[in-house]
Amino acid sequence: MKKILLTSIFTLFLLLGLNHFEASAASNTYIVKSGDTLYRIAVKHNTSVSNLKKWNNLKSDTIRPNQTLVVSNVKADAPVKTQSNQVVKTITVTATAYTANCKNCSGITATGINLKKNPNLKVIAVDPKVIKLGTKVYVEGYGYAVAGDKGGAIKGNKIDVFIPSQKQALQWGKKTVKVQILKS
């Protein structure tokens, strides 16, 4: 019961909180609401249904509430400061990548996010002593994300960025990047 409640609260946080990452590139993802259609989402984000299907690897027009869709192929490479994403602190970390598509991977994060069902979410694994779980961040070279997972090897100023493809996760390698911790 406690895990279900935590998952529900965190999902609500994602639905409400991540929608505040509106900048010139706007958020390139959209969380489907009840009653949405691909057509309405395409019109709202000035794109086409065929682009939405291509960017999200959709084989049909079926979408589900709480599903995260990529709605733009534009990737912001620098955060735009707005009132809703003020930088509280910047830290330098060692960043590696992980995926949910591996043998014995459940795809469920420490905060209950199902990465297999939501492969387009930007989630990082952190040491909660350094970055609290649930914190919104901007990761250099990755984009806006939420600190939604932790890992046994993630201690101190280390993070893991979630990348859905195992090939792309391996290509990420090991990097030193800046992480901006954003005001909630």
Side-chain angles (χ1 to χ4, degrees):
M1 181 67 179
K2 189 186 266 188
K3 187 172 183 175
I4 292 171
L5 181 60
L6 179 61
T7 301
S8 298
I9 290 170
F10 195 76
T11 301
L12 181 61
F13 167 78
L14 283 175
L15 289 171
L16 298 174
L18 288 181
N19 286 337
H20 293 289
F21 287 147
E22 293 157 347
S24 62
S27 176
N28 67 344
T29 61
Y30 174 78
I31 298 176
V32 176
K33 294 170 185 58
S34 182
D36 278 342
T37 65
L38 282 177
Y39 176 76
R40 284 187 200 152
I41 295 168
V43 169
K44 182 177 181 176
H45 294 278
N46 198 27
T47 191
S48 67
V49 171
S50 63
N51 279 341
L52 289 177
K53 290 173 82 170
K54 180 174 66 173
W55 296 333
N56 294 283
N57 299 317
L58 298 175
K59 306 282 188 250
S60 73
D61 291 342
T62 304
I63 54 176
R64 299 174 319 277
N66 298 323
Q67 179 178 0
T68 302
L69 297 176
V70 174
V71 292
S72 168
N73 65 354
V74 175
K75 294 196 173 51
D77 55 4
V80 176
K81 290 181 177 77
T82 66
Q83 213 166 10
S84 64
N85 69 357
Q86 292 177 343
V87 177
V88 174
K89 180 179 179 182
T90 301
I91 61 174
T92 301
V93 301
T94 301
T96 52
Y98 74 109
T99 183
N101 295 321
C102 57
K103 189 177 182 178
N104 298 325
C105 292
S106 73
I108 307 295
T109 69
T111 57
I113 301 168
N114 187 330
L115 295 173
K116 288 184 178 181
K117 288 185 179 178
N118 299 287
N120 295 313
L121 283 181
K122 297 273 190 152
V123 178
I124 64 171
V126 299
D127 179 343
K129 293 177 184 172
V130 178
I131 301 173
K132 292 191 314 188
L133 288 173
T135 301
K136 296 178 226 174
V137 297
Y138 179 83
V139 180
E140 178 182 32
Y142 182 67
Y144 291 104
V146 65
D149 206 358
K150 57 185 182 174
I154 307 302
K155 301 289 182 215
N157 282 26
K158 292 183 181 178
I159 65 168
D160 252 352
V161 298
F162 169 70
I163 298 178
S165 155
Q166 190 168 11
K167 181 180 177 183
Q168 290 174 325
L170 290 170
Q171 288 173 344
W172 175 274
K174 184 176 180 179
K175 302 177 181 186
T176 300
V177 298
K178 290 187 187 327
V179 174
Q180 294 180 336
I181 297 170
L182 306 174
K183 184 176 182 176
S184 302

